[in-house]
Amino acid sequence: MACSTHLLSQSLYPSQRANPAAARGQLRFQARPAAASPSVRLGSGTSRRRSLGLRVTASAEQGRRQVEVEYDLQAKFNKLADQIDQNAGITRLNLFSPCKINVFLRITGKRPDGFHDLASLFHVISLGDTIKFSLSPSKSKDRLSTNVAGVPVDESNLIIKALNLYRKKTGTDNFFWIHLDKKVPTGAGLGGGSSNAATALWAANQFSGCIASEKELQEWSGEIGSDIPFFFSQGAAYCTGRGEIVEDIRNPLPANLPMVLVKPPEACSTAEVYKRLRLEHTSQTDPLVLLKEITENGISQDVCVNDLEPPAFEVLPSLKRLKKRIIAANRGDYDAVFMSGSGSTIVGIGSPDPPAFVYDDDDYKDTFVSEACFLTRNENEWYREPISSKITSKEDLPPEDTAYRKHQVWILQK
C-alpha cells in the first residue's frame, strides 16, 4: 500500500512535487479499499473479482482544497487481460469424439468409381474418444500421440489428414500437438477414425476463429473419408451415396434407449467384406420404408437390416456365431441384435447388459463390451461427453467376482 500511495502521489500531485516544502506537513493521505469492482468477462467465463484498488484523499490544510481520486488497479489489470485474451485466441482445446452405429445399412448398387452406393440410418452414440489439441510453435508439422499401441501417428492417421485438409482449404498455418485418448476399438464398424477426423476439422476451425461454416467442413471432409461428413449432422442422419450425402432426421432415437456393444478381438477388413459382397443376395427392402418404420414406431429386429452381415460373417465366421448366441440368449431384453457397419461389433438395442456367456465363456475373455446410448448435438456446438462415466474392469473387483470379467464403459445419464 505504501508503494501504491507513493506512485499515486508521484503521478497525481505535480504541484506538490514542484514545491516539496509546501507539501511537507500539509498533505494527509488516507488509504482505504475502493468499492468492489463489477463483474468482468475474462476469456470464456464470467467471474467476480475483488478490487485491489485504492481510494486516496489528499487535503491541503492552509488552502482548504481537497482532492479525492479513486484508482482501481484490479479493473485496469482486468481490462488489459481482456485485451490479451482477445488477441491470443484459443491455445488449447479438449473435445469429445463419439462413434456411431448403423441402425440399418442397405447397399443399393456399385458405382463406376468402384465404391458402392448405400442407404443407411447413422446415429452417434455415447462411446467415444477424447482428443486434446494445443497450438504448436512449429509452422511445419503436427505432432500426434495416443494411449493405444498400433494406432498410426503419422500422416496416414485421419486426424493429420483432416488438419492438412483444413490448412489447404483455408490457407491457415496453424499446426498442433494432439493427444488421442482412445476408447473406441479399431476395426469395429463404429467409425472411430472418421469421428476423430471430423473432430479435428472442428477443432482447427475453432482455433482459426470459425472462418469456415459447418456446411463447408462437411463438404470438405468427404474428400478424405465417406463416413466423416455424417459427424457434421446433429447426430442422426439418413446417409446415401458413398455416405457423404447427409440428411438430418427430425426424430432422432431417444437418448434413454440403452444398448450394449460386443466386439471380439478380431477385426473385419472393410475392403475384404466389400470384396465378398454379392448384390443379388442383399435385402430388397426399400431403405426409405425402413427409415419411416424406425422414426415412427421405433427399433425392431425386422428393420435393423445390414447387407454387409453375410460377407462379414464369411470373413469372420466367429462373428456369426456370436450374433446367434446373443439372439439365443435373449430373454426379451433386446429389441434388435445386429452388426454395425462392416463389423466386427454386434449391437444389442434395449438393454445395457450383455448375455452371461460373454462373461463366463473363455472364448470371449478378450471381448470388448461397452454400454452406450444414443447421442445428438446442438447446432454450432460439438458433441458433449455424457455427464459422468465410469470404467470398470475385473482388476477393480474382488477375484471371486466374475460378474465383470470384461472391460466395460458405464455411461450414467443425466
Side-chain angles (χ1 to χ4, degrees), residues 223-235:
E223 296 182 18
I224 56 174
S226 299
D227 289 351
I228 304 173
F230 158 69
F231 289 96
F232 291 100
S233 72
Q234 290 182 299

Side-chain angles (χ1 to χ4, degrees), residues 115-407:
F115 289 94
H116 288 79
D117 281 316
L118 61 82
S120 179
L121 173 56
F122 283 55
H123 209 303
V124 169
I125 61 173
S126 57
L127 174 65
D129 305 327
T130 300
I131 312 180
K132 301 177 181 180
F133 299 87
S134 299
L135 277 177
S136 169
S138 168
K139 292 297 180 181
S140 61
K141 189 177 181 180
D142 299 301
R143 187 177 72 186
L144 173 64
S145 62
T146 181
N147 63 322
V148 176
V151 174
V153 294
D154 58 12
E155 293 198 353
S156 65
N157 190 290
L158 280 171
I159 292 175
I160 304 299
K161 288 184 178 182
L163 296 174
N164 285 334
L165 176 67
Y166 186 83
R167 285 186 288 263
K168 174 184 173 183
K169 294 293 186 180
T170 62
T172 54
D173 61 354
N174 286 333
F175 286 80
F176 302 92
W177 291 337
I178 314 107
H179 180 73
L180 171 62
D181 186 5
K182 196 82 180 145
K183 293 184 177 67
V184 179
T186 57
L190 299 175
S194 296
S195 172
N196 293 165
T199 305
L201 282 172
W202 175 274
N205 199 42
Q206 297 300 305
F207 279 100
S208 298
C210 299
I211 58 177
S213 67
E214 284 192 12
K215 187 66 176 175
E216 287 174 318
L217 296 177
Q218 186 177 59
E219 291 175 354
W220 299 344
S221 68
E223 296 182 18
I224 56 174
S226 299
D227 289 351
I228 304 173
F230 158 69
F231 289 96
F232 291 100
S233 72
Q234 290 182 299
Y238 180 62
C239 300
T240 54
R242 293 183 291 112
E244 83 284 7
I245 302 173
V246 179
E247 180 183 348
D248 278 280
I249 64 170
R250 294 181 180 179
N251 301 313
L253 294 165
N256 61 356
L257 180 60
M259 72 186 75
V260 64
L261 312 176
V262 183
K263 183 201 174 295
E266 300 85 5
C268 276
S269 164
T270 301
E272 189 62 29
V273 170
Y274 273 101
K275 183 179 178 181
R276 295 177 183 240
L277 176 67
R278 301 292 180 266
L279 288 173
E280 63 271 18
H281 295 159
T282 59
S283 170
Q284 299 305 305
T285 307
D286 186 338
L288 290 175
V289 172
L290 298 175
L291 180 64
K292 184 174 186 292
E293 177 66 21
I294 291 172
T295 55
E296 291 183 357
N297 300 314
I299 289 178
S300 66
Q301 189 66 52
D302 291 340
V303 296
C304 293
V305 174
N306 187 341
D307 286 337
L308 294 182
E309 280 191 7
F313 292 164
E314 288 183 23
V315 174
L316 197 60
S318 62
L319 192 59
K320 182 177 182 178
R321 292 194 296 272
L322 175 60
K323 181 186 175 184
K324 283 186 173 181
R325 289 195 66 177
I326 294 175
I327 292 175
N330 184 16
R331 299 178 180 178
D333 294 329
Y334 308 122
D335 301 319
V337 177
F338 55 90
M339 185 184 80
S340 179
S342 58
S344 58
T345 299
I346 301 296
V347 182
I349 300 289
S351 172
D353 303 317
F357 76 84
V358 177
Y359 296 126
D360 298 333
D361 193 327
D362 285 342
D363 290 342
Y364 299 101
K365 64 181 179 180
D366 295 321
T367 297
F368 174 89
V369 179
S370 174
E371 177 181 330
C373 62
F374 292 109
L375 189 68
T376 57
R377 72 179 180 99
N378 296 323
E379 189 174 2
N380 297 319
E381 294 181 5
W382 199 240
Y383 300 95
R384 296 183 180 183
E385 188 172 10
I387 274 185
S388 178
S389 63
K390 180 181 179 182
I391 299 176
T392 305
S393 64
K394 62 183 180 181
E395 288 78 11
D396 299 321
L397 299 166
E400 63 274 11
D401 191 337
T402 59
Y404 295 93
R405 294 183 60 193
K406 303 294 177 292
H407 177 277

Side-chain angles (χ1 to χ4, degrees), residues 15-134:
S15 60
Q16 273 75 17
R17 291 203 311 271
N19 188 359
R24 279 195 297 269
Q26 297 181 14
L27 286 177
R28 296 197 307 271
F29 289 89
Q30 181 182 359
R32 59 183 184 270
S37 61
S39 295
V40 293
R41 185 173 181 83
L42 180 60
S44 60
T46 300
S47 61
R48 183 171 295 276
R49 296 183 177 86
R50 185 178 178 182
S51 173
L52 297 180
L54 297 174
R55 185 187 300 276
V56 179
T57 300
S59 175
E61 292 181 349
Q62 293 179 350
R64 306 181 64 84
R65 299 169 64 183
Q66 182 171 328
V67 178
E68 185 175 284
V69 178
E70 182 177 337
Y71 188 68
D72 193 339
L73 296 175
Q74 187 67 49
K76 192 168 186 177
F77 171 80
N78 291 339
K79 183 177 180 181
L80 178 62
D82 285 341
Q83 292 173 346
I84 292 172
D85 277 0
Q86 290 170 2
N87 294 335
I90 299 173
T91 57
R92 296 177 182 174
L93 194 59
N94 293 353
L95 292 175
F96 185 53
S97 180
C99 63
K100 58 82 183 170
I101 62 170
N102 301 87
V103 181
F104 70 79
L105 175 56
R106 285 288 337 279
I107 306 299
T108 57
K110 191 168 184 178
R111 302 155 53 104
D113 60 8
F115 289 94
H116 288 79
D117 281 316
L118 61 82
S120 179
L121 173 56
F122 283 55
H123 209 303
V124 169
I125 61 173
S126 57
L127 174 65
D129 305 327
T130 300
I131 312 180
K132 301 177 181 180
F133 299 87
S134 299

